[in-house]
Amino acid sequence: RAGGLGLQLWFGQLQWHSFCEVCGKRILAMGGHTAEQIAASSQKTFGKTMCMSCGKKEYAKQEKQTG
């Protein structure tokens, strides 16, 4: 999975899914945000495609370092 992307065959249809570059889990919709929005936001903010959980941990880590 280069760049946190994976291709999956599901019910005869090919679908792209984003995977977290930190924990390796598939990024799922959460908190009113689509999986695509979460992946794009973490890529823009941290330079990595991350799930919501890893993104929150990275945000807290950076807050601690700067604040």
Side-chain angles (χ1 to χ4, degrees):
R1 290 183 278 226
L5 291 176
L7 185 62
Q8 179 180 17
L9 183 61
W10 190 66
F11 290 104
Q13 297 180 11
L14 291 175
Q15 296 181 337
W16 282 101
H17 295 290
S18 295
F19 291 86
C20 181
E21 292 182 47
V22 177
C23 70
K25 293 181 182 176
R26 185 173 146 195
I27 299 173
L28 302 173
M30 180 180 277
H33 303 285
T34 67
E36 293 80 12
Q37 289 172 325
I38 294 168
S41 177
S42 66
Q43 181 65 42
K44 182 181 175 183
T45 305
F46 305 115
K48 294 181 189 176
T49 303
M50 293 187 209
C51 66
M52 186 71 85
S53 178
C54 290
K56 285 182 179 181
K57 290 175 188 174
E58 182 65 25
Y59 180 80
K61 180 176 141 184
Q62 288 186 8
E63 280 290 305
K64 188 175 181 180
Q65 289 175 349
T66 60

